[in-house]
Every structure is written in structure tokens, then in C-alpha cells.
Amino acid sequence: LTLNTAFNLLERDLLLQFSQKIIEIDPFGDIQNEWRPQGTTGGPGAISIEGVSRFHHAAVPTVRGTILTLDSETRTFENYPTSETDPSAPTDTLSVRGDVIVEFAHDGTVVKTWHLFDMLDPYRIGYATFPGLDWSHSNYVSEVPSDDSVVLSVRNQSCIVKFDRLTGAIRWILGTHEKWSPAFEPYLLTPTGAPFEWMWHQHNAKLTPHGTILVFDNGAYRAMPYDPPTPPAENRSRAVEYK
């Protein structure tokens, strides 16, 4: 069970995403709204979000009065890697799961969707992709009202991505420079300062009032396939703030 909450800055209510529903409650704990993925049932007055198969990890209000959340989809790829530890393992045609970022209105209308498979390289695998073929496993999304963009934490890619809300075009990628194809190199932020460390399998990447990004660096693996991961006994987690 995952529970994600966010304050609605416009109405001072609380949004909670859990158990395949998003609910809005007032300061007294009374349910004001409930939203469900298509094909699921909820409480009285629950609103179905057409075209959305599931909610996961996020329910974040925007300045437009809409809500950002995460869905997922499965696509089939040919010549896909079958191992994250053996570079000589044969490739195969596989069904892979990736994330879809969804913005919907209070009445349940889907305002916009962004498909991560169309934005990043689906053949760039990270540790924890297998055995479930969970390519991205995004775990937080938020908006940047000042320049009409969206920031997404992509756990299994060990990166945070900023993209244009209207076009879906990538603005930058914050994360290790390893294993990216040349098409993405112009978007990779350059590390400065010493000592410098990237985050790995991060959670809860949030913008601060100072314009920085505060993130929980889980520290899992601290490597990309097929480099050897850091042994758990030598690893650690941390909080880190990036400019």
C-alpha cells in the first residue's frame, strides 16, 4: 500500500492517492471528491477517469486547478535486452511497462497526457528493470508554473526529467550520464562542485522555494547495467539538494 498526499494550495484541502483512488478531503476529514481509474468502482459520486488504467505514486494539484498523477502502459519492443547483469544474454521481443503522466480536471476530464516511452530511450535499462520489465517506475511528478513545465522523478532510470508542459519536449535531464544515446546528451546537466555524486533510484524529488531540487537519494545499486553495483553493505541513502 502506498499513500501519497499533497495540499491543494487553491482550496486548502488535502489530496490522497492510495489503493487505486484519489480523494480530496477538507480540513475536517470529509471527502469532497473521489476519482477512480476507468473500469474501477468507488464511493458515492466517484468520478471515473476515462482512458486511465491505474493511479500510482502521485496526486499533485496544479495552479490551473487540475491534478497531476501517474498511469502506466505496456508496449512491445523487438530486440530488447533480457538481462541487466549479463551483457551477452540474447535479446527478445518483450512487453515492457512504462509510465504515462496524466493531468485531469476536477470533473474527470483528461487535460493532457505525456507518454514516457515517446520522451526517453526505452532501450536504456537500469537495475530493477527485471524481472518485471518495469522500465521507468516514476515516483513523483510536479509542475513548474514559472515556465509552464513539468518535473518527473524516474526511479529505474535514476534521473529527474524536466519537460515542456505544452509540447512534451525535454528541457533537461538531471542524473548520471551513463548509457544515454547521443540524442539525449544535449539535455544532460553538467555536474559542478566537489565532491559530486548523482542520486540513484531516488524518491520524492521536489522543487524548493529557492528553485533547487530536494530529493531522497535511495542509493540503490549506484551503477547502471552492466557495471557492477555497489554492494549493499557499502551503500547508503541520503538527502541531497541540487541547483
Side-chain angles (χ1 to χ4, degrees):
L1 174 67
T2 61
L3 178 64
N4 298 279
T5 61
F7 282 106
N8 186 324
L9 300 180
L10 299 179
E11 301 181 4
R12 298 186 181 276
D13 285 352
L14 193 67
L15 287 176
L16 302 92
Q17 181 274 311
F18 64 102
S19 188
Q20 287 313 300
K21 63 182 175 182
I22 294 174
I23 62 173
E24 179 182 3
I25 61 175
D26 63 23
F28 300 99
D30 296 322
I31 295 177
Q32 300 300 310
N33 288 289
E34 179 179 339
W35 300 272
R36 289 274 185 165
Q38 182 177 355
T40 64
T41 58
I47 299 171
S48 174
I49 310 299
E50 299 301 309
V52 173
S53 62
R54 65 189 295 250
F55 298 141
H56 71 91
H57 283 94
V60 182
T62 75
V63 295
R64 294 171 300 284
T66 58
I67 296 170
L68 287 170
T69 189
L70 295 168
D71 189 7
S72 63
E73 64 175 333
T74 299
R75 294 189 189 180
T76 300
F77 294 94
E78 298 179 351
N79 299 315
Y80 204 80
T82 59
S83 173
E84 63 194 28
T85 58
D86 181 6
S88 63
T91 60
D92 199 355
T93 299
L94 298 176
S95 295
V96 184
R97 187 166 71 254
D99 293 309
V100 180
I101 306 97
V102 179
E103 180 181 1
F104 67 89
H106 271 229
D107 66 1
T109 303
V110 173
V111 176
K112 206 161 184 61
T113 58
W114 303 268
H115 295 256
L116 202 55
F117 277 139
D118 298 330
M119 300 163 68
L120 300 182
D121 180 3
Y123 285 87
R124 182 185 188 260
I125 62 170
Y127 281 109
T129 298
F130 300 95
L133 289 171
D134 187 3
W135 166 71
S136 52
H137 197 103
S138 300
N139 54 30
Y140 196 74
V141 61
S142 61
E143 68 168 350
V144 187
S146 61
D147 62 2
D148 204 17
S149 63
V150 177
V151 171
L152 177 71
S153 171
V154 192
R155 190 197 77 167
N156 283 3
Q157 293 287 307
S158 290
C159 71
I160 299 168
V161 179
K162 183 179 183 179
F163 62 89
D164 186 279
R165 189 183 71 85
L166 294 179
T167 67
I170 294 174
R171 300 272 187 88
W172 49 248
I173 298 172
L174 169 64
T176 175
H177 290 199
E178 296 179 50
K179 313 301 182 182
W180 291 100
S181 60
F184 294 93
E185 290 177 358
Y187 304 106
L188 299 174
L189 295 181
T190 302
T192 62
F196 185 93
E197 291 183 83
W198 294 116
M199 74 282 165
W200 298 89
H201 279 223
Q202 73 287 338
H203 278 76
N204 214 32
K206 291 188 175 180
L207 295 169
T208 73
H210 315 292
T212 58
I213 291 182
L214 185 64
V215 60
F216 183 78
D217 174 13
N218 285 73
Y221 305 100
R222 294 199 179 276
M224 292 291 291
Y226 296 95
D227 297 331
T230 300
E234 300 175 15
N235 214 336
R236 78 271 185 251
S237 300
R238 61 175 181 152
V240 58
E241 184 179 14
Y242 293 105
K243 178 184 288 188

mmCIF file of all heavy atoms in Angstrom, residues 174-201:
data_model
loop_
_atom_site.group_PDB
_atom_site.id
_atom_site.type_symbol
_atom_site.label_atom_id
_atom_site.label_comp_id
_atom_site.label_asym_id
_atom_site.label_seq_id
_atom_site.Cartn_x
_atom_site.Cartn_y
_atom_site.Cartn_z
ATOM 1 N N LEU A 174 18.474 15.485 -15.185
ATOM 2 C CA LEU A 174 19.365 15.504 -14.022
ATOM 3 C C LEU A 174 19.612 14.060 -13.599
ATOM 4 O O LEU A 174 18.690 13.365 -13.167
ATOM 5 C CB LEU A 174 18.723 16.297 -12.883
ATOM 6 C CG LEU A 174 19.386 16.215 -11.498
ATOM 7 C CD1 LEU A 174 20.777 16.815 -11.536
ATOM 8 C CD2 LEU A 174 18.525 16.921 -10.456
ATOM 9 N N GLY A 175 20.852 13.600 -13.758
ATOM 10 C CA GLY A 175 21.174 12.228 -13.391
ATOM 11 C C GLY A 175 22.461 11.783 -14.053
ATOM 12 O O GLY A 175 23.075 12.510 -14.846
ATOM 13 N N THR A 176 22.877 10.575 -13.729
ATOM 14 C CA THR A 176 24.108 10.028 -14.271
ATOM 15 C C THR A 176 24.124 10.123 -15.793
ATOM 16 O O THR A 176 23.094 9.980 -16.448
ATOM 17 C CB THR A 176 24.290 8.562 -13.845
ATOM 18 O OG1 THR A 176 25.446 8.012 -14.497
ATOM 19 C CG2 THR A 176 23.085 7.714 -14.213
ATOM 20 N N HIS A 177 25.302 10.371 -16.367
ATOM 21 C CA HIS A 177 25.460 10.476 -17.813
ATOM 22 C C HIS A 177 25.668 9.116 -18.478
ATOM 23 O O HIS A 177 25.805 9.052 -19.702
ATOM 24 C CB HIS A 177 26.641 11.388 -18.137
ATOM 25 C CG HIS A 177 26.385 12.828 -17.823
ATOM 26 N ND1 HIS A 177 27.130 13.858 -18.376
ATOM 27 C CD2 HIS A 177 25.467 13.431 -17.024
ATOM 28 C CE1 HIS A 177 26.684 15.021 -17.915
ATOM 29 N NE2 HIS A 177 25.682 14.785 -17.092
ATOM 30 N N GLU A 178 25.661 8.063 -17.714
ATOM 31 C CA GLU A 178 25.945 6.736 -18.255
ATOM 32 C C GLU A 178 24.783 6.195 -19.082
ATOM 33 O O GLU A 178 23.612 6.386 -18.734
ATOM 34 C CB GLU A 178 26.246 5.758 -17.117
ATOM 35 C CG GLU A 178 27.490 6.094 -16.311
ATOM 36 C CD GLU A 178 27.705 5.105 -15.181
ATOM 37 O OE1 GLU A 178 27.671 3.887 -15.462
ATOM 38 O OE2 GLU A 178 27.886 5.546 -14.042
ATOM 39 N N LYS A 179 25.132 5.555 -20.184
ATOM 40 C CA LYS A 179 24.222 4.738 -21.002
ATOM 41 C C LYS A 179 23.191 5.526 -21.800
ATOM 42 O O LYS A 179 22.273 4.921 -22.371
ATOM 43 C CB LYS A 179 23.501 3.685 -20.130
ATOM 44 C CG LYS A 179 24.389 2.910 -19.183
ATOM 45 C CD LYS A 179 25.488 2.138 -19.901
ATOM 46 C CE LYS A 179 26.333 1.340 -18.897
ATOM 47 N NZ LYS A 179 27.428 0.610 -19.561
ATOM 48 N N TRP A 180 23.326 6.845 -21.876
ATOM 49 C CA TRP A 180 22.407 7.605 -22.711
ATOM 50 C C TRP A 180 22.874 7.568 -24.156
ATOM 51 O O TRP A 180 24.066 7.660 -24.436
ATOM 52 C CB TRP A 180 22.315 9.057 -22.247
ATOM 53 C CG TRP A 180 21.630 9.240 -20.928
ATOM 54 C CD1 TRP A 180 22.229 9.423 -19.716
ATOM 55 C CD2 TRP A 180 20.227 9.246 -20.689
ATOM 56 N NE1 TRP A 180 21.287 9.548 -18.728
ATOM 57 C CE2 TRP A 180 20.041 9.439 -19.301
ATOM 58 C CE3 TRP A 180 19.101 9.120 -21.513
ATOM 59 C CZ2 TRP A 180 18.777 9.503 -18.718
ATOM 60 C CZ3 TRP A 180 17.847 9.171 -20.927
ATOM 61 C CH2 TRP A 180 17.696 9.365 -19.561
ATOM 62 N N SER A 181 21.945 7.469 -25.084
ATOM 63 C CA SER A 181 22.294 7.539 -26.501
ATOM 64 C C SER A 181 22.627 8.984 -26.859
ATOM 65 O O SER A 181 22.235 9.917 -26.151
ATOM 66 C CB SER A 181 21.138 7.021 -27.359
ATOM 67 O OG SER A 181 19.975 7.793 -27.160
ATOM 68 N N PRO A 182 23.347 9.214 -27.956
ATOM 69 C CA PRO A 182 23.791 10.568 -28.308
ATOM 70 C C PRO A 182 22.658 11.593 -28.407
ATOM 71 O O PRO A 182 22.869 12.775 -28.128
ATOM 72 C CB PRO A 182 24.481 10.364 -29.662
ATOM 73 C CG PRO A 182 24.974 8.952 -29.615
ATOM 74 C CD PRO A 182 23.926 8.198 -28.868
ATOM 75 N N ALA A 183 21.462 11.163 -28.770
ATOM 76 C CA ALA A 183 20.355 12.110 -28.943
ATOM 77 C C ALA A 183 19.989 12.819 -27.642
ATOM 78 O O ALA A 183 19.422 13.920 -27.661
ATOM 79 C CB ALA A 183 19.130 11.379 -29.494
ATOM 80 N N PHE A 184 20.323 12.211 -26.511
ATOM 81 C CA PHE A 184 19.940 12.782 -25.217
ATOM 82 C C PHE A 184 21.076 13.548 -24.543
ATOM 83 O O PHE A 184 20.850 14.220 -23.527
ATOM 84 C CB PHE A 184 19.434 11.674 -24.284
ATOM 85 C CG PHE A 184 18.162 11.043 -24.763
ATOM 86 C CD1 PHE A 184 18.196 9.897 -25.550
ATOM 87 C CD2 PHE A 184 16.934 11.598 -24.466
ATOM 88 C CE1 PHE A 184 17.030 9.322 -26.020
ATOM 89 C CE2 PHE A 184 15.759 11.031 -24.924
ATOM 90 C CZ PHE A 184 15.802 9.888 -25.710
ATOM 91 N N GLU A 185 22.276 13.457 -25.082
ATOM 92 C CA GLU A 185 23.415 14.103 -24.438
ATOM 93 C C GLU A 185 23.260 15.619 -24.295
ATOM 94 O O GLU A 185 23.694 16.190 -23.284
ATOM 95 C CB GLU A 185 24.694 13.748 -25.202
ATOM 96 C CG GLU A 185 25.085 12.282 -25.041
ATOM 97 C CD GLU A 185 26.312 11.908 -25.844
ATOM 98 O OE1 GLU A 185 26.837 12.795 -26.567
ATOM 99 O OE2 GLU A 185 26.753 10.744 -25.751
ATOM 100 N N PRO A 186 22.627 16.335 -25.250
ATOM 101 C CA PRO A 186 22.482 17.788 -25.078
ATOM 102 C C PRO A 186 21.626 18.184 -23.873
ATOM 103 O O PRO A 186 21.695 19.342 -23.426
ATOM 104 C CB PRO A 186 21.814 18.233 -26.383
ATOM 105 C CG PRO A 186 22.153 17.169 -27.380
ATOM 106 C CD PRO A 186 22.169 15.906 -26.583
ATOM 107 N N TYR A 187 20.829 17.265 -23.356
ATOM 108 C CA TYR A 187 19.926 17.595 -22.254
ATOM 109 C C TYR A 187 20.515 17.269 -20.878
ATOM 110 O O TYR A 187 19.921 17.625 -19.856
ATOM 111 C CB TYR A 187 18.608 16.842 -22.421
ATOM 112 C CG TYR A 187 17.937 17.103 -23.745
ATOM 113 C CD1 TYR A 187 17.937 16.130 -24.743
ATOM 114 C CD2 TYR A 187 17.325 18.320 -24.010
ATOM 115 C CE1 TYR A 187 17.334 16.365 -25.972
ATOM 116 C CE2 TYR A 187 16.712 18.565 -25.236
ATOM 117 C CZ TYR A 187 16.723 17.581 -26.205
ATOM 118 O OH TYR A 187 16.130 17.822 -27.417
ATOM 119 N N LEU A 188 21.645 16.604 -20.839
ATOM 120 C CA LEU A 188 22.229 16.164 -19.568
ATOM 121 C C LEU A 188 22.881 17.337 -18.853
ATOM 122 O O LEU A 188 23.763 17.996 -19.405
ATOM 123 C CB LEU A 188 23.250 15.055 -19.809
ATOM 124 C CG LEU A 188 22.707 13.774 -20.466
ATOM 125 C CD1 LEU A 188 23.848 12.819 -20.783
ATOM 126 C CD2 LEU A 188 21.680 13.101 -19.565
ATOM 127 N N LEU A 189 22.448 17.602 -17.636
ATOM 128 C CA LEU A 189 23.037 18.682 -16.859
ATOM 129 C C LEU A 189 24.457 18.323 -16.455
ATOM 130 O O LEU A 189 24.751 17.169 -16.115
ATOM 131 C CB LEU A 189 22.191 18.971 -15.622
ATOM 132 C CG LEU A 189 20.780 19.511 -15.884
ATOM 133 C CD1 LEU A 189 20.061 19.764 -14.564
ATOM 134 C CD2 LEU A 189 20.826 20.787 -16.717
ATOM 135 N N THR A 190 25.337 19.307 -16.459
ATOM 136 C CA THR A 190 26.747 19.083 -16.152
ATOM 137 C C THR A 190 26.981 19.187 -14.652
ATOM 138 O O THR A 190 26.611 20.194 -14.033
ATOM 139 C CB THR A 190 27.624 20.116 -16.874
ATOM 140 O OG1 THR A 190 27.390 20.019 -18.281
ATOM 141 C CG2 THR A 190 29.094 19.880 -16.572
ATOM 142 N N PRO A 191 27.588 18.177 -14.031
ATOM 143 C CA PRO A 191 27.852 18.255 -12.591
ATOM 144 C C PRO A 191 28.941 19.279 -12.276
ATOM 145 O O PRO A 191 29.937 19.373 -12.995
ATOM 146 C CB PRO A 191 28.307 16.835 -12.239
ATOM 147 C CG PRO A 191 28.844 16.276 -13.519
ATOM 148 C CD PRO A 191 28.033 16.900 -14.616
ATOM 149 N N THR A 192 28.723 20.066 -11.225
ATOM 150 C CA THR A 192 29.733 21.016 -10.759
ATOM 151 C C THR A 192 29.864 20.881 -9.250
ATOM 152 O O THR A 192 28.944 20.446 -8.563
ATOM 153 C CB THR A 192 29.359 22.468 -11.110
ATOM 154 O OG1 THR A 192 28.129 22.801 -10.454
ATOM 155 C CG2 THR A 192 29.184 22.640 -12.613
ATOM 156 N N GLY A 193 31.031 21.298 -8.756
ATOM 157 C CA GLY A 193 31.281 21.205 -7.321
ATOM 158 C C GLY A 193 31.912 19.871 -6.967
ATOM 159 O O GLY A 193 31.730 18.867 -7.667
ATOM 160 N N ALA A 194 32.660 19.866 -5.901
ATOM 161 C CA ALA A 194 33.336 18.644 -5.466
ATOM 162 C C ALA A 194 33.273 18.533 -3.945
ATOM 163 O O ALA A 194 33.398 19.533 -3.246
ATOM 164 C CB ALA A 194 34.798 18.660 -5.927
ATOM 165 N N PRO A 195 33.070 17.318 -3.421
ATOM 166 C CA PRO A 195 32.783 16.091 -4.188
ATOM 167 C C PRO A 195 31.353 16.104 -4.724
ATOM 168 O O PRO A 195 30.475 16.680 -4.104
ATOM 169 C CB PRO A 195 32.974 14.985 -3.161
ATOM 170 C CG PRO A 195 32.625 15.630 -1.853
ATOM 171 C CD PRO A 195 33.107 17.067 -1.958
ATOM 172 N N PHE A 196 31.150 15.494 -5.877
ATOM 173 C CA PHE A 196 29.832 15.457 -6.502
ATOM 174 C C PHE A 196 29.398 14.010 -6.655
ATOM 175 O O PHE A 196 30.177 13.151 -7.060
ATOM 176 C CB PHE A 196 29.844 16.127 -7.877
ATOM 177 C CG PHE A 196 28.482 16.210 -8.499
ATOM 178 C CD1 PHE A 196 27.706 17.337 -8.332
ATOM 179 C CD2 PHE A 196 27.963 15.142 -9.233
ATOM 180 C CE1 PHE A 196 26.435 17.422 -8.888
ATOM 181 C CE2 PHE A 196 26.699 15.209 -9.789
ATOM 182 C CZ PHE A 196 25.936 16.353 -9.617
ATOM 183 N N GLU A 197 28.126 13.744 -6.337
ATOM 184 C CA GLU A 197 27.559 12.411 -6.524
ATOM 185 C C GLU A 197 26.156 12.541 -7.107
ATOM 186 O O GLU A 197 25.375 13.392 -6.672
ATOM 187 C CB GLU A 197 27.470 11.660 -5.193
ATOM 188 C CG GLU A 197 28.797 11.257 -4.578
ATOM 189 C CD GLU A 197 28.564 10.453 -3.308
ATOM 190 O OE1 GLU A 197 28.331 9.235 -3.410
ATOM 191 O OE2 GLU A 197 28.597 11.062 -2.235
ATOM 192 N N TRP A 198 25.840 11.706 -8.081
ATOM 193 C CA TRP A 198 24.481 11.620 -8.583
ATOM 194 C C TRP A 198 23.606 10.854 -7.598
ATOM 195 O O TRP A 198 24.117 10.127 -6.739
ATOM 196 C CB TRP A 198 24.450 10.890 -9.923
ATOM 197 C CG TRP A 198 25.131 11.598 -11.051
ATOM 198 C CD1 TRP A 198 26.233 11.163 -11.742
ATOM 199 C CD2 TRP A 198 24.759 12.851 -11.632
ATOM 200 N NE1 TRP A 198 26.576 12.072 -12.709
ATOM 201 C CE2 TRP A 198 25.683 13.115 -12.663
ATOM 202 C CE3 TRP A 198 23.749 13.775 -11.379
ATOM 203 C CZ2 TRP A 198 25.608 14.268 -13.459
ATOM 204 C CZ3 TRP A 198 23.677 14.925 -12.162
ATOM 205 C CH2 TRP A 198 24.597 15.152 -13.182
ATOM 206 N N MET A 199 22.303 11.010 -7.752
ATOM 207 C CA MET A 199 21.382 10.200 -6.954
ATOM 208 C C MET A 199 21.047 8.926 -7.741
ATOM 209 O O MET A 199 21.138 8.894 -8.971
ATOM 210 C CB MET A 199 20.114 10.972 -6.595
ATOM 211 C CG MET A 199 19.132 11.178 -7.714
ATOM 212 S SD MET A 199 19.597 12.504 -8.848
ATOM 213 C CE MET A 199 18.501 12.171 -10.220
ATOM 214 N N TRP A 200 20.618 7.895 -7.022
ATOM 215 C CA TRP A 200 20.308 6.600 -7.636
ATOM 216 C C TRP A 200 18.988 6.072 -7.063
ATOM 217 O O TRP A 200 18.815 6.010 -5.854
ATOM 218 C CB TRP A 200 21.433 5.594 -7.380
ATOM 219 C CG TRP A 200 22.739 6.021 -7.987
ATOM 220 C CD1 TRP A 200 23.707 6.789 -7.391
ATOM 221 C CD2 TRP A 200 23.208 5.739 -9.306
ATOM 222 N NE1 TRP A 200 24.753 7.000 -8.260
ATOM 223 C CE2 TRP A 200 24.473 6.360 -9.449
ATOM 224 C CE3 TRP A 200 22.686 5.021 -10.378
ATOM 225 C CZ2 TRP A 200 25.210 6.274 -10.628
ATOM 226 C CZ3 TRP A 200 23.427 4.942 -11.544
ATOM 227 C CH2 TRP A 200 24.680 5.560 -11.662
ATOM 228 N N HIS A 201 18.075 5.725 -7.954
ATOM 229 C CA HIS A 201 16.753 5.186 -7.570
ATOM 230 C C HIS A 201 16.054 6.110 -6.570
ATOM 231 O O HIS A 201 15.483 5.684 -5.581
ATOM 232 C CB HIS A 201 16.899 3.773 -7.016
ATOM 233 C CG HIS A 201 17.021 2.747 -8.101
ATOM 234 N ND1 HIS A 201 16.355 1.552 -8.076
ATOM 235 C CD2 HIS A 201 17.724 2.743 -9.265
ATOM 236 C CE1 HIS A 201 16.640 0.851 -9.152
ATOM 237 N NE2 HIS A 201 17.474 1.557 -9.897
#
